Amino acid sequence: MSRIVCFGLAALLALSAATDAFAWGAVSGPRGGAAYRGPLGGGAVRGPNGGVAVRGPYGGGAVRGPNGGVAVRGGVYRPYVRAPYYGAIVAGVAIGTVIAASAPPPVPAPGLCWFWSNASNSQGYWDYCS
């Protein structure tokens, strides 16, 4: 766990050194300390003796002391919510399309009947009913 935290802290501190990070709120102190505030409210601080602290935008935090000790506090998380299943809707649309495509067209005028012209019932024509 400490490697992941150290990697995340290093990534945040690298972002604070970038030129665009100064627009988000990065500062450095006279003895080598640095502080960074991200666009979503998260922040990172590096002390002059090597201690590092990070706070995420949702309240989670991690700290690494100058002697290598690590502490992590979890923040607010969003619980998993199952997405609605749209399979039945898609299947209904597909079946409705097949039924509509295979049905004969509506009667254009009274007294006409539809006659299939082949055995597979894929082509036909309108003619007067007898």
Side-chain angles (χ1 to χ4, degrees), residues 5 8-16 21 24-27 34-46 52-63:
V5 171
L9 296 175
L12 284 174
L13 289 175
L15 286 174
S16 69
W24 292 340
V27 295
Y36 162 78
R37 183 173 175 90
L40 298 177
V45 178
R46 180 177 49 90
V52 178
V54 175
R55 186 181 66 85
Y58 298 111
V63 177

PDB file of all heavy atoms in Angstrom, residues 5 8-16 21 24-27 34-46 52-63:
ATOM      1  N   VAL A   5       0.718   4.729  -2.422  1.00  0.00           N
ATOM      2  CA  VAL A   5       0.551   6.071  -1.854  1.00  0.00           C
ATOM      3  C   VAL A   5       1.717   6.961  -2.263  1.00  0.00           C
ATOM      4  O   VAL A   5       1.532   8.105  -2.680  1.00  0.00           O
ATOM      5  CB  VAL A   5       0.428   5.998  -0.315  1.00  0.00           C
ATOM      6  CG1 VAL A   5       0.468   7.381   0.301  1.00  0.00           C
ATOM      7  CG2 VAL A   5      -0.849   5.282   0.063  1.00  0.00           C
ATOM      8  N   GLY A   8       1.361   7.938  -5.858  1.00  0.00           N
ATOM      9  CA  GLY A   8       0.337   8.981  -6.028  1.00  0.00           C
ATOM     10  C   GLY A   8       0.830  10.336  -5.552  1.00  0.00           C
ATOM     11  O   GLY A   8       0.579  11.370  -6.176  1.00  0.00           O
ATOM     12  N   LEU A   9       1.551  10.332  -4.433  1.00  0.00           N
ATOM     13  CA  LEU A   9       2.098  11.595  -3.935  1.00  0.00           C
ATOM     14  C   LEU A   9       3.117  12.174  -4.903  1.00  0.00           C
ATOM     15  O   LEU A   9       3.139  13.383  -5.163  1.00  0.00           O
ATOM     16  CB  LEU A   9       2.743  11.380  -2.570  1.00  0.00           C
ATOM     17  CG  LEU A   9       1.795  10.962  -1.448  1.00  0.00           C
ATOM     18  CD1 LEU A   9       2.576  10.657  -0.189  1.00  0.00           C
ATOM     19  CD2 LEU A   9       0.762  12.012  -1.202  1.00  0.00           C
ATOM     20  N   ALA A  10       3.962  11.303  -5.443  1.00  0.00           N
ATOM     21  CA  ALA A  10       4.955  11.775  -6.409  1.00  0.00           C
ATOM     22  C   ALA A  10       4.283  12.347  -7.647  1.00  0.00           C
ATOM     23  O   ALA A  10       4.717  13.358  -8.199  1.00  0.00           O
ATOM     24  CB  ALA A  10       5.901  10.641  -6.779  1.00  0.00           C
ATOM     25  N   ALA A  11       3.197  11.703  -8.102  1.00  0.00           N
ATOM     26  CA  ALA A  11       2.483  12.201  -9.284  1.00  0.00           C
ATOM     27  C   ALA A  11       1.871  13.576  -9.009  1.00  0.00           C
ATOM     28  O   ALA A  11       1.941  14.479  -9.851  1.00  0.00           O
ATOM     29  CB  ALA A  11       1.408  11.212  -9.700  1.00  0.00           C
ATOM     30  N   LEU A  12       1.280  13.741  -7.830  1.00  0.00           N
ATOM     31  CA  LEU A  12       0.694  15.038  -7.506  1.00  0.00           C
ATOM     32  C   LEU A  12       1.758  16.128  -7.371  1.00  0.00           C
ATOM     33  O   LEU A  12       1.560  17.265  -7.802  1.00  0.00           O
ATOM     34  CB  LEU A  12      -0.125  14.950  -6.228  1.00  0.00           C
ATOM     35  CG  LEU A  12      -1.478  14.287  -6.376  1.00  0.00           C
ATOM     36  CD1 LEU A  12      -2.138  14.131  -5.025  1.00  0.00           C
ATOM     37  CD2 LEU A  12      -2.368  15.070  -7.309  1.00  0.00           C
ATOM     38  N   LEU A  13       2.864  15.778  -6.774  1.00  0.00           N
ATOM     39  CA  LEU A  13       3.930  16.764  -6.652  1.00  0.00           C
ATOM     40  C   LEU A  13       4.541  17.104  -8.011  1.00  0.00           C
ATOM     41  O   LEU A  13       4.935  18.240  -8.250  1.00  0.00           O
ATOM     42  CB  LEU A  13       4.997  16.272  -5.678  1.00  0.00           C
ATOM     43  CG  LEU A  13       4.549  16.259  -4.221  1.00  0.00           C
ATOM     44  CD1 LEU A  13       5.613  15.647  -3.343  1.00  0.00           C
ATOM     45  CD2 LEU A  13       4.203  17.647  -3.750  1.00  0.00           C
ATOM     46  N   ALA A  14       4.605  16.113  -8.907  1.00  0.00           N
ATOM     47  CA  ALA A  14       5.099  16.401 -10.257  1.00  0.00           C
ATOM     48  C   ALA A  14       4.156  17.353 -10.974  1.00  0.00           C
ATOM     49  O   ALA A  14       4.593  18.244 -11.708  1.00  0.00           O
ATOM     50  CB  ALA A  14       5.270  15.106 -11.044  1.00  0.00           C
ATOM     51  N   LEU A  15       2.858  17.170 -10.758  1.00  0.00           N
ATOM     52  CA  LEU A  15       1.897  18.090 -11.368  1.00  0.00           C
ATOM     53  C   LEU A  15       2.026  19.496 -10.796  1.00  0.00           C
ATOM     54  O   LEU A  15       1.807  20.485 -11.488  1.00  0.00           O
ATOM     55  CB  LEU A  15       0.472  17.587 -11.149  1.00  0.00           C
ATOM     56  CG  LEU A  15       0.045  16.392 -11.980  1.00  0.00           C
ATOM     57  CD1 LEU A  15      -1.332  15.920 -11.543  1.00  0.00           C
ATOM     58  CD2 LEU A  15       0.043  16.737 -13.451  1.00  0.00           C
ATOM     59  N   SER A  16       2.378  19.582  -9.517  1.00  0.00           N
ATOM     60  CA  SER A  16       2.496  20.908  -8.921  1.00  0.00           C
ATOM     61  C   SER A  16       3.706  21.662  -9.452  1.00  0.00           C
ATOM     62  O   SER A  16       3.754  22.887  -9.382  1.00  0.00           O
ATOM     63  CB  SER A  16       2.576  20.797  -7.404  1.00  0.00           C
ATOM     64  OG  SER A  16       3.804  20.217  -7.023  1.00  0.00           O
ATOM     65  N   ALA A  21       0.260  24.257 -13.412  1.00  0.00           N
ATOM     66  CA  ALA A  21      -0.233  24.032 -12.063  1.00  0.00           C
ATOM     67  C   ALA A  21      -0.290  25.325 -11.263  1.00  0.00           C
ATOM     68  O   ALA A  21      -1.042  25.432 -10.307  1.00  0.00           O
ATOM     69  CB  ALA A  21       0.651  23.021 -11.348  1.00  0.00           C
ATOM     70  N   TRP A  24      -3.597  26.785 -10.840  1.00  0.00           N
ATOM     71  CA  TRP A  24      -4.520  26.107  -9.948  1.00  0.00           C
ATOM     72  C   TRP A  24      -4.200  26.409  -8.488  1.00  0.00           C
ATOM     73  O   TRP A  24      -4.956  26.073  -7.615  1.00  0.00           O
ATOM     74  CB  TRP A  24      -4.468  24.606 -10.159  1.00  0.00           C
ATOM     75  CG  TRP A  24      -5.009  24.170 -11.463  1.00  0.00           C
ATOM     76  CD1 TRP A  24      -5.847  24.864 -12.271  1.00  0.00           C
ATOM     77  CD2 TRP A  24      -4.749  22.947 -12.112  1.00  0.00           C
ATOM     78  NE1 TRP A  24      -6.135  24.145 -13.386  1.00  0.00           N
ATOM     79  CE2 TRP A  24      -5.462  22.948 -13.312  1.00  0.00           C
ATOM     80  CE3 TRP A  24      -3.996  21.834 -11.823  1.00  0.00           C
ATOM     81  CZ2 TRP A  24      -5.434  21.900 -14.206  1.00  0.00           C
ATOM     82  CZ3 TRP A  24      -3.975  20.785 -12.705  1.00  0.00           C
ATOM     83  CH2 TRP A  24      -4.686  20.823 -13.876  1.00  0.00           C
ATOM     84  N   GLY A  25      -3.033  26.933  -8.162  1.00  0.00           N
ATOM     85  CA  GLY A  25      -2.730  27.267  -6.789  1.00  0.00           C
ATOM     86  C   GLY A  25      -1.526  26.557  -6.221  1.00  0.00           C
ATOM     87  O   GLY A  25      -1.590  26.025  -5.123  1.00  0.00           O
ATOM     88  N   ALA A  26      -0.431  26.487  -6.917  1.00  0.00           N
ATOM     89  CA  ALA A  26       0.791  25.868  -6.399  1.00  0.00           C
ATOM     90  C   ALA A  26       1.722  26.975  -5.896  1.00  0.00           C
ATOM     91  O   ALA A  26       1.888  28.005  -6.539  1.00  0.00           O
ATOM     92  CB  ALA A  26       1.477  25.069  -7.495  1.00  0.00           C
ATOM     93  N   VAL A  27       2.319  26.754  -4.713  1.00  0.00           N
ATOM     94  CA  VAL A  27       3.256  27.710  -4.146  1.00  0.00           C
ATOM     95  C   VAL A  27       4.442  26.949  -3.567  1.00  0.00           C
ATOM     96  O   VAL A  27       4.362  25.754  -3.310  1.00  0.00           O
ATOM     97  CB  VAL A  27       2.596  28.562  -3.037  1.00  0.00           C
ATOM     98  CG1 VAL A  27       1.500  29.425  -3.589  1.00  0.00           C
ATOM     99  CG2 VAL A  27       2.070  27.686  -1.919  1.00  0.00           C
ATOM    100  N   ALA A  34       6.543  22.941  -0.426  1.00  0.00           N
ATOM    101  CA  ALA A  34       5.663  23.274  -1.553  1.00  0.00           C
ATOM    102  C   ALA A  34       4.236  22.869  -1.209  1.00  0.00           C
ATOM    103  O   ALA A  34       4.009  21.930  -0.455  1.00  0.00           O
ATOM    104  CB  ALA A  34       6.110  22.558  -2.822  1.00  0.00           C
ATOM    105  N   ALA A  35       3.272  23.581  -1.784  1.00  0.00           N
ATOM    106  CA  ALA A  35       1.857  23.272  -1.604  1.00  0.00           C
ATOM    107  C   ALA A  35       1.164  23.390  -2.949  1.00  0.00           C
ATOM    108  O   ALA A  35       1.532  24.209  -3.789  1.00  0.00           O
ATOM    109  CB  ALA A  35       1.225  24.235  -0.602  1.00  0.00           C
ATOM    110  N   TYR A  36       0.177  22.549  -3.150  1.00  0.00           N
ATOM    111  CA  TYR A  36      -0.538  22.505  -4.429  1.00  0.00           C
ATOM    112  C   TYR A  36      -2.022  22.313  -4.141  1.00  0.00           C
ATOM    113  O   TYR A  36      -2.404  21.517  -3.293  1.00  0.00           O
ATOM    114  CB  TYR A  36       0.006  21.348  -5.265  1.00  0.00           C
ATOM    115  CG  TYR A  36      -0.900  20.924  -6.387  1.00  0.00           C
ATOM    116  CD1 TYR A  36      -0.965  21.664  -7.549  1.00  0.00           C
ATOM    117  CD2 TYR A  36      -1.679  19.790  -6.280  1.00  0.00           C
ATOM    118  CE1 TYR A  36      -1.797  21.276  -8.576  1.00  0.00           C
ATOM    119  CE2 TYR A  36      -2.505  19.394  -7.304  1.00  0.00           C
ATOM    120  CZ  TYR A  36      -2.569  20.141  -8.441  1.00  0.00           C
ATOM    121  OH  TYR A  36      -3.385  19.767  -9.459  1.00  0.00           O
ATOM    122  N   ARG A  37      -2.853  23.047  -4.860  1.00  0.00           N
ATOM    123  CA  ARG A  37      -4.296  22.875  -4.765  1.00  0.00           C
ATOM    124  C   ARG A  37      -4.820  22.641  -6.167  1.00  0.00           C
ATOM    125  O   ARG A  37      -4.632  23.451  -7.070  1.00  0.00           O
ATOM    126  CB  ARG A  37      -4.952  24.107  -4.151  1.00  0.00           C
ATOM    127  CG  ARG A  37      -6.433  23.944  -3.980  1.00  0.00           C
ATOM    128  CD  ARG A  37      -6.995  25.132  -3.198  1.00  0.00           C
ATOM    129  NE  ARG A  37      -8.428  25.059  -3.130  1.00  0.00           N
ATOM    130  CZ  ARG A  37      -9.096  24.448  -2.161  1.00  0.00           C
ATOM    131  NH1 ARG A  37      -8.442  23.868  -1.202  1.00  0.00           N
ATOM    132  NH2 ARG A  37     -10.397  24.439  -2.160  1.00  0.00           N
ATOM    133  N   GLY A  38      -5.502  21.511  -6.358  1.00  0.00           N
ATOM    134  CA  GLY A  38      -5.994  21.132  -7.672  1.00  0.00           C
ATOM    135  C   GLY A  38      -7.300  21.805  -8.032  1.00  0.00           C
ATOM    136  O   GLY A  38      -7.936  22.468  -7.216  1.00  0.00           O
ATOM    137  N   PRO A  39      -7.752  21.624  -9.285  1.00  0.00           N
ATOM    138  CA  PRO A  39      -8.972  22.285  -9.756  1.00  0.00           C
ATOM    139  C   PRO A  39     -10.234  21.745  -9.091  1.00  0.00           C
ATOM    140  O   PRO A  39     -11.243  22.416  -9.046  1.00  0.00           O
ATOM    141  CB  PRO A  39      -8.962  22.011 -11.255  1.00  0.00           C
ATOM    142  CG  PRO A  39      -8.145  20.779 -11.413  1.00  0.00           C
ATOM    143  CD  PRO A  39      -7.108  20.838 -10.329  1.00  0.00           C
ATOM    144  N   LEU A  40     -10.213  20.512  -8.539  1.00  0.00           N
ATOM    145  CA  LEU A  40     -11.396  19.941  -7.912  1.00  0.00           C
ATOM    146  C   LEU A  40     -11.370  20.069  -6.399  1.00  0.00           C
ATOM    147  O   LEU A  40     -12.221  19.512  -5.717  1.00  0.00           O
ATOM    148  CB  LEU A  40     -11.524  18.466  -8.287  1.00  0.00           C
ATOM    149  CG  LEU A  40     -11.710  18.188  -9.763  1.00  0.00           C
ATOM    150  CD1 LEU A  40     -11.740  16.707 -10.028  1.00  0.00           C
ATOM    151  CD2 LEU A  40     -12.970  18.843 -10.284  1.00  0.00           C
ATOM    152  N   GLY A  41     -10.384  20.760  -5.841  1.00  0.00           N
ATOM    153  CA  GLY A  41     -10.332  20.970  -4.411  1.00  0.00           C
ATOM    154  C   GLY A  41      -9.348  20.094  -3.678  1.00  0.00           C
ATOM    155  O   GLY A  41      -9.155  20.247  -2.487  1.00  0.00           O
ATOM    156  N   GLY A  42      -8.717  19.137  -4.334  1.00  0.00           N
ATOM    157  CA  GLY A  42      -7.705  18.303  -3.697  1.00  0.00           C
ATOM    158  C   GLY A  42      -6.435  19.113  -3.493  1.00  0.00           C
ATOM    159  O   GLY A  42      -6.226  20.155  -4.115  1.00  0.00           O
ATOM    160  N   GLY A  43      -5.576  18.632  -2.601  1.00  0.00           N
ATOM    161  CA  GLY A  43      -4.352  19.372  -2.353  1.00  0.00           C
ATOM    162  C   GLY A  43      -3.213  18.454  -1.987  1.00  0.00           C
ATOM    163  O   GLY A  43      -3.416  17.311  -1.583  1.00  0.00           O
ATOM    164  N   ALA A  44      -1.987  18.932  -2.115  1.00  0.00           N
ATOM    165  CA  ALA A  44      -0.781  18.198  -1.749  1.00  0.00           C
ATOM    166  C   ALA A  44       0.197  19.184  -1.133  1.00  0.00           C
ATOM    167  O   ALA A  44       0.301  20.337  -1.557  1.00  0.00           O
ATOM    168  CB  ALA A  44      -0.167  17.539  -2.975  1.00  0.00           C
ATOM    169  N   VAL A  45       0.920  18.712  -0.102  1.00  0.00           N
ATOM    170  CA  VAL A  45       1.895  19.551   0.584  1.00  0.00           C
ATOM    171  C   VAL A  45       3.168  18.748   0.768  1.00  0.00           C
ATOM    172  O   VAL A  45       3.116  17.566   1.117  1.00  0.00           O
ATOM    173  CB  VAL A  45       1.355  19.990   1.963  1.00  0.00           C
ATOM    174  CG1 VAL A  45       2.383  20.817   2.706  1.00  0.00           C
ATOM    175  CG2 VAL A  45       0.061  20.751   1.817  1.00  0.00           C
ATOM    176  N   ARG A  46       4.318  19.376   0.526  1.00  0.00           N
ATOM    177  CA  ARG A  46       5.617  18.766   0.780  1.00  0.00           C
ATOM    178  C   ARG A  46       6.369  19.692   1.714  1.00  0.00           C
ATOM    179  O   ARG A  46       6.558  20.876   1.433  1.00  0.00           O
ATOM    180  CB  ARG A  46       6.417  18.591  -0.513  1.00  0.00           C
ATOM    181  CG  ARG A  46       7.788  17.960  -0.286  1.00  0.00           C
ATOM    182  CD  ARG A  46       8.524  17.731  -1.595  1.00  0.00           C
ATOM    183  NE  ARG A  46       8.536  18.894  -2.467  1.00  0.00           N
ATOM    184  CZ  ARG A  46       9.481  19.842  -2.450  1.00  0.00           C
ATOM    185  NH1 ARG A  46      10.453  19.801  -1.583  1.00  0.00           N
ATOM    186  NH2 ARG A  46       9.415  20.853  -3.292  1.00  0.00           N
ATOM    187  N   VAL A  52       5.247  14.455   3.329  1.00  0.00           N
ATOM    188  CA  VAL A  52       4.301  14.746   2.248  1.00  0.00           C
ATOM    189  C   VAL A  52       2.891  14.437   2.739  1.00  0.00           C
ATOM    190  O   VAL A  52       2.683  13.442   3.428  1.00  0.00           O
ATOM    191  CB  VAL A  52       4.620  13.894   1.005  1.00  0.00           C
ATOM    192  CG1 VAL A  52       3.621  14.155  -0.098  1.00  0.00           C
ATOM    193  CG2 VAL A  52       6.026  14.160   0.519  1.00  0.00           C
ATOM    194  N   ALA A  53       1.908  15.265   2.378  1.00  0.00           N
ATOM    195  CA  ALA A  53       0.500  15.034   2.702  1.00  0.00           C
ATOM    196  C   ALA A  53      -0.343  15.336   1.473  1.00  0.00           C
ATOM    197  O   ALA A  53      -0.056  16.267   0.721  1.00  0.00           O
ATOM    198  CB  ALA A  53       0.062  15.922   3.861  1.00  0.00           C
ATOM    199  N   VAL A  54      -1.368  14.539   1.283  1.00  0.00           N
ATOM    200  CA  VAL A  54      -2.264  14.709   0.126  1.00  0.00           C
ATOM    201  C   VAL A  54      -3.697  14.584   0.630  1.00  0.00           C
ATOM    202  O   VAL A  54      -4.011  13.719   1.440  1.00  0.00           O
ATOM    203  CB  VAL A  54      -1.995  13.642  -0.946  1.00  0.00           C
ATOM    204  CG1 VAL A  54      -2.999  13.740  -2.066  1.00  0.00           C
ATOM    205  CG2 VAL A  54      -0.608  13.770  -1.495  1.00  0.00           C
ATOM    206  N   ARG A  55      -4.591  15.450   0.133  1.00  0.00           N
ATOM    207  CA  ARG A  55      -6.019  15.358   0.408  1.00  0.00           C
ATOM    208  C   ARG A  55      -6.757  15.366  -0.913  1.00  0.00           C
ATOM    209  O   ARG A  55      -6.538  16.224  -1.766  1.00  0.00           O
ATOM    210  CB  ARG A  55      -6.502  16.541   1.247  1.00  0.00           C
ATOM    211  CG  ARG A  55      -7.965  16.394   1.669  1.00  0.00           C
ATOM    212  CD  ARG A  55      -8.432  17.582   2.473  1.00  0.00           C
ATOM    213  NE  ARG A  55      -8.457  18.802   1.681  1.00  0.00           N
ATOM    214  CZ  ARG A  55      -9.457  19.170   0.906  1.00  0.00           C
ATOM    215  NH1 ARG A  55     -10.500  18.397   0.766  1.00  0.00           N
ATOM    216  NH2 ARG A  55      -9.411  20.304   0.248  1.00  0.00           N
ATOM    217  N   GLY A  56      -7.623  14.385  -1.115  1.00  0.00           N
ATOM    218  CA  GLY A  56      -8.400  14.301  -2.346  1.00  0.00           C
ATOM    219  C   GLY A  56      -9.622  15.193  -2.300  1.00  0.00           C
ATOM    220  O   GLY A  56     -10.002  15.702  -1.241  1.00  0.00           O
ATOM    221  N   PRO A  57     -10.294  15.393  -3.417  1.00  0.00           N
ATOM    222  CA  PRO A  57     -11.457  16.281  -3.458  1.00  0.00           C
ATOM    223  C   PRO A  57     -12.645  15.740  -2.679  1.00  0.00           C
ATOM    224  O   PRO A  57     -13.541  16.480  -2.320  1.00  0.00           O
ATOM    225  CB  PRO A  57     -11.765  16.402  -4.948  1.00  0.00           C
ATOM    226  CG  PRO A  57     -11.127  15.235  -5.580  1.00  0.00           C
ATOM    227  CD  PRO A  57      -9.946  14.870  -4.733  1.00  0.00           C
ATOM    228  N   TYR A  58     -12.700  14.433  -2.354  1.00  0.00           N
ATOM    229  CA  TYR A  58     -13.824  13.853  -1.628  1.00  0.00           C
ATOM    230  C   TYR A  58     -13.496  13.581  -0.164  1.00  0.00           C
ATOM    231  O   TYR A  58     -14.222  12.880   0.510  1.00  0.00           O
ATOM    232  CB  TYR A  58     -14.290  12.565  -2.303  1.00  0.00           C
ATOM    233  CG  TYR A  58     -14.774  12.824  -3.700  1.00  0.00           C
ATOM    234  CD1 TYR A  58     -14.064  12.354  -4.794  1.00  0.00           C
ATOM    235  CD2 TYR A  58     -15.933  13.557  -3.929  1.00  0.00           C
ATOM    236  CE1 TYR A  58     -14.500  12.608  -6.074  1.00  0.00           C
ATOM    237  CE2 TYR A  58     -16.374  13.809  -5.203  1.00  0.00           C
ATOM    238  CZ  TYR A  58     -15.656  13.325  -6.272  1.00  0.00           C
ATOM    239  OH  TYR A  58     -16.090  13.571  -7.532  1.00  0.00           O
ATOM    240  N   GLY A  59     -12.376  14.107   0.341  1.00  0.00           N
ATOM    241  CA  GLY A  59     -12.075  14.007   1.752  1.00  0.00           C
ATOM    242  C   GLY A  59     -11.069  12.951   2.133  1.00  0.00           C
ATOM    243  O   GLY A  59     -10.653  12.885   3.275  1.00  0.00           O
ATOM    244  N   GLY A  60     -10.673  12.073   1.242  1.00  0.00           N
ATOM    245  CA  GLY A  60      -9.660  11.070   1.550  1.00  0.00           C
ATOM    246  C   GLY A  60      -8.297  11.732   1.672  1.00  0.00           C
ATOM    247  O   GLY A  60      -8.035  12.777   1.086  1.00  0.00           O
ATOM    248  N   GLY A  61      -7.426  11.121   2.465  1.00  0.00           N
ATOM    249  CA  GLY A  61      -6.120  11.730   2.641  1.00  0.00           C
ATOM    250  C   GLY A  61      -5.042  10.682   2.836  1.00  0.00           C
ATOM    251  O   GLY A  61      -5.317   9.545   3.203  1.00  0.00           O
ATOM    252  N   ALA A  62      -3.789  11.075   2.607  1.00  0.00           N
ATOM    253  CA  ALA A  62      -2.633  10.206   2.816  1.00  0.00           C
ATOM    254  C   ALA A  62      -1.471  11.077   3.260  1.00  0.00           C
ATOM    255  O   ALA A  62      -1.310  12.211   2.806  1.00  0.00           O
ATOM    256  CB  ALA A  62      -2.285   9.470   1.537  1.00  0.00           C
ATOM    257  N   VAL A  63      -0.660  10.529   4.176  1.00  0.00           N
ATOM    258  CA  VAL A  63       0.479  11.269   4.714  1.00  0.00           C
ATOM    259  C   VAL A  63       1.681  10.342   4.751  1.00  0.00           C
ATOM    260  O   VAL A  63       1.562   9.169   5.101  1.00  0.00           O
ATOM    261  CB  VAL A  63       0.172  11.773   6.150  1.00  0.00           C
ATOM    262  CG1 VAL A  63       1.369  12.485   6.735  1.00  0.00           C
ATOM    263  CG2 VAL A  63      -1.036  12.659   6.158  1.00  0.00           C
TER     264      VAL A  63
END
